[in-house]
Amino acid sequence: GESVGLHLPTLSVQEGDNSIINCAYSNSASDYFIWYKQESGKGPQFIIDIRSNMDKRQGQRVTVLLNKTVKHLSLQIAATQPGDSAVYFCAENPYSSNTGKLIFGQGTTLQVKP
Amino acid sequence: NAGVTQTPKFRILKIGQSMTLQCTQDMNHNYMYWYRQDPGMGLKLIYYSVGAGITDKGEVPNGYNVSRSTTEDFPLRLELAAPSQTSVYFCASSYGVEGGDGYTFGSGTRLTVV
């Protein structure tokens, strides 16, 4: 079946370094992708999104890159801070017509070392 | 605005017991969702609703039931609890079908079935 997956379960970075979290998706019909951050004991929080007609989108300290050719999504976090420590999920919306259902990847745990 | 409120936050059930997980949102969102999150995994959709009186199955609906009698409330019912239903349950609501920053998650209900 269709799924969204992540390449690495855990990523450990030094404070101040840049982080790159990767995601592979399998549904070529998906046209909307979202990155979520989930801190311990909390629900996912929206970080940034991108539509399939774009290949890059920037937010505050975060950038999402989309490569539709290889069905790959990445989240770049600049100058990683201790507060960035969390689990990061990518999600795709392959049902953009009328339901809002999302398919989530397994998640990558980002650990920021001081 | 309280956003999406879930109760209870924690619950331990015995095998075969039943319970209802409550979810209420005060944002007048038409779309509501129930996801479950198993340890180290992403979220999987159980049921969703595109408006009051309308519900539909997601990816993992077996063992659950939902109702949507009002726009605000979307309770999830577990009948005959099983150990496989041990998980963290998240309710979410959205004003649109795409997700992204319009998608708000509750803080979750941690359920253990013993």
Side-chain angles (χ1 to χ4, degrees):
Chain A
E2 291 120 5
S3 65
V4 178
L6 288 157
H7 293 312
L8 293 174
T10 303
L11 176 66
S12 185
V13 300
Q14 204 71 38
E15 181 179 356
D17 287 351
N18 297 334
S19 303
I20 300 176
I21 301 171
N22 295 306
C23 177
Y25 66 95
S26 59
N27 191 333
S28 56
S30 293
D31 57 5
Y32 185 60
F33 304 88
I34 311 111
W35 280 101
Y36 288 94
K37 173 185 180 183
Q38 186 178 27
E39 296 175 296
S40 180
K42 297 183 180 180
Q45 293 177 291
F46 169 83
I47 302 174
I48 192 168
D49 56 3
I50 189 167
R51 299 182 187 281
S52 59
N53 62 352
M54 304 170 67
D55 53 19
K56 180 179 180 179
R57 190 164 188 222
Q58 288 184 296
Q60 188 175 19
R61 280 203 307 119
V62 294
T63 301
V64 55
L65 299 177
L66 175 62
N67 185 331
K68 295 180 290 294
T69 302
V70 296
K71 298 178 190 171
H72 184 268
L73 194 67
S74 69
L75 176 71
Q76 300 178 359
I77 304 174
T80 311
Q81 302 169 359
D84 295 327
S85 294
V87 178
Y88 290 81
F89 294 96
C90 63
E92 64 178 303
N93 186 338
Y95 312 107
S96 57
S97 58
N98 62 357
T99 64
K101 296 185 290 185
L102 298 179
I103 296 177
F104 285 81
Q106 290 186 330
T108 293
T109 299
L110 177 64
Q111 298 174 340
V112 182
K113 297 178 287 186
Chain B
N1 281 352
V4 177
T5 302
Q6 290 183 238
T7 58
K9 292 189 182 302
F10 304 93
R11 184 73 185 267
I12 298 175
L13 278 183
K14 293 184 178 179
I15 295 172
Q17 287 186 320
S18 303
M19 77 165 293
T20 299
L21 282 68
Q22 302 292 344
C23 176
T24 299
Q25 53 94 6
D26 61 358
M27 297 170 284
N28 202 33
H29 287 172
N30 282 327
Y31 302 89
M32 295 189 75
Y33 314 87
W34 274 106
Y35 290 89
R36 61 175 285 173
Q37 184 177 31
D38 297 330
M41 302 293 287
L43 284 71
K44 292 189 183 297
L45 184 66
I46 306 171
Y47 269 95
Y48 69 100
S49 170
V50 299
I54 306 170
T55 63
D56 207 347
K57 296 178 180 179
E59 185 182 356
V60 290
N62 291 344
Y64 307 94
N65 277 300
V66 294
S67 60
R68 185 92 183 273
S69 57
T70 66
T71 299
E72 295 78 20
D73 300 309
F74 191 40
L76 177 71
R77 178 80 177 164
L78 277 72
E79 304 283 2
L80 298 175
S84 61
Q85 293 178 305
T86 294
S87 190
V88 181
Y89 292 83
F90 289 100
C91 179
S93 72
S94 174
Y95 68 74
V97 298
E98 292 185 323
D101 61 357
Y103 220 91
T104 303
F105 286 88
S107 56
T109 294
R110 184 176 296 275
L111 176 66
T112 303
V113 181
V114 296

